[in-house]
Structure formats: C-alpha cells, structure tokens
Amino acid sequence: MNIEQFSQQDIEILSEERLYKGFFELKKIRFKHKLFAGGYSGVVTRELLYKGAASAVIAYDPIKDSVILVEQVRIGAYQPQSEQSPWLLELIAGMVEEGERPEEVALRESEEEAGVQISDLTHCLSVWDSPGGVIEKIHLFVGTVDSSQAKGIHGLAEENEDIRVHVVHRETAYQWVCEGKINNSIAVMGLQWLQLNYQRYIQN
C-alpha cells in the first residue's frame, strides 16, 4: 500500500522567537501546513524545546544474558505527591555535542557512566522524542560487553552526575518494563528491542 506523504516543503514557517536560552533552548514557532483535505491550515503557534540529539546504548552481555542499566536522579520525574522514585533505571545515554557522531557518544558515555567498553556497536534505530513540542532525536545502539566490569558509581563531577551501575538479567529487566518499574521511554524502547533480538547475539 502506497501512502502519499507530505514533506518539509509542505510547512511554511512564519516566525521564530527565542524565549529562553540555557541548558536547553525554548522558541515560539508560528507556522502553516498543508491539510489532508487540501489547502493550508490557519496559523499554528507552538513552543518548541530544542534539545538536539542523544545516543543510548543497550549494553548487553550475551554470555550472562544480562544488560547494564544505570540509575540516577531525574528532576523531570520528581512529583512530591507520587510514591514513585525520581531515581530512574535507564540505559547508558548522553547528548550528542556539535561535531560529534552518535556512535562516538555511545562509546564515550559507556565509559563515563558505567566504566565499560562496548564491542560490536550496532545502530538499532533513530526516533523522535515527543516531537509535538521537543526537538530531540534519539539514536539507539546495541553493543556487547563484559558485564563483570560494570560496577560502582560513575559520572562526571563537573556535570553533577551521580550514577550507580546495575547488572540485570535480561528477563528481569524486561519484567520490570512490564511492571512499570522501568518507566522512561528510552529504556522501555531499548529493552523491548533487546527482548525481540537477543537470540541473534546468544547464537553468535
């Protein structure tokens, strides 16, 4: 089945206004876009948070059938009335800085956040994170690792990182996804990908 899709040329940007510039950047965008029924929309106004790109790594030990997860506090998950902790279990991940390639970031962050070296790094997929109001593309990779080297507390002091490393059996990690114990989108997506694809690594 062929589905005709619109392209970049089918959006008309009318104005961009910077509202804030800090660790991230916030802009107000006014635009029009083509309609499925024909013609153009009215003027749409949206606030857009610019985060850039990030790389995440499924660090998998096929011998022990385990995956490396990292735990750190996330202020976006802090809700005083909630019983869930704002310390989240995540995949190794980091922002892609200007001039860097996503795979370089994946390897660097594996050492910085978990003290491990990744072998056979392979790109899984790239997805937009909440594109209704955020510009951030997540590049997901998988790589093999010796999980016996993953231990302790890591992170860069100058970036206020305080990261604890966990080695978790793949089935347990996936069960935690199903139970909602792992509840951030990148980790959920990565562990679901691993659950669908782990056998190819065990067989090799």
Side-chain angles (χ1 to χ4, degrees):
M1 181 176 64
N2 293 325
I3 299 177
E4 183 179 356
Q5 291 187 309
F6 293 143
S7 69
Q8 303 280 350
Q9 286 70 40
D10 297 314
I11 292 181
E12 179 184 353
I13 303 298
L14 302 175
S15 66
E16 294 186 18
E17 177 187 356
R18 177 187 285 176
L19 301 178
Y20 176 78
K21 174 66 174 176
F23 190 75
F24 299 122
E25 184 175 4
L26 183 67
K27 289 184 177 181
K28 179 184 286 187
I29 311 294
R30 298 173 64 253
F31 66 98
K32 291 183 175 182
H33 62 87
K34 277 189 177 180
L35 299 172
F36 293 121
Y40 269 84
S41 69
V43 176
V44 181
T45 302
R46 292 287 184 270
E47 287 76 36
L48 196 56
L49 182 66
Y50 286 73
K51 295 178 66 178
S55 293
V57 187
I58 307 165
Y60 180 57
D61 184 336
I63 296 176
K64 296 182 179 178
D65 196 16
S66 295
V67 62
I68 296 174
L69 301 176
V70 293
E71 180 185 6
Q72 59 186 314
V73 66
R74 294 301 195 186
I75 190 60
Y78 170 69
Q79 295 180 315
Q81 308 306 318
S82 174
E83 294 182 358
Q84 288 192 317
S85 173
W87 274 260
L88 303 184
L89 289 170
E90 304 176 333
L91 297 182
I92 297 165
M95 302 298 296
V96 179
E97 304 294 342
E98 186 175 352
E100 287 186 310
R101 292 181 296 145
E103 54 268 33
E104 294 173 338
V105 175
L107 296 173
R108 184 193 73 218
E109 292 294 333
S110 296
E111 294 188 9
E112 289 182 4
E113 292 195 348
V116 297
Q117 293 187 338
I118 300 291
S119 301
D120 303 319
L121 187 74
T122 304
H123 178 256
C124 302
L125 49 91
S126 296
V127 297
W128 292 108
D129 177 21
S130 192
V134 178
I135 290 185
E136 182 180 37
K137 198 160 199 178
I138 307 297
H139 302 286
L140 181 65
F141 296 87
V142 64
T144 56
V145 67
D146 177 1
S147 61
S148 68
Q149 304 301 309
K151 61 188 71 172
I153 298 172
H154 297 268
L156 300 179
E158 60 268 27
E159 295 183 7
N160 295 304
E161 292 180 328
D162 181 47
I163 300 171
R164 183 163 59 175
V165 175
H166 299 270
V167 178
V168 182
H169 192 274
R170 172 190 51 80
E171 290 183 353
T172 300
Y174 184 66
Q175 185 61 37
W176 287 350
V177 169
C178 296
E179 295 171 354
K181 182 174 181 178
I182 293 177
N183 57 2
N184 59 93
S185 61
I186 296 175
V188 169
M189 177 176 60
L191 292 171
Q192 287 178 331
W193 188 97
L194 180 62
Q195 190 69 9
L196 292 170
N197 294 278
Y198 74 93
Q199 289 182 337
R200 72 173 74 167
Y201 296 92
I202 290 179
Q203 291 170 357
N204 291 334

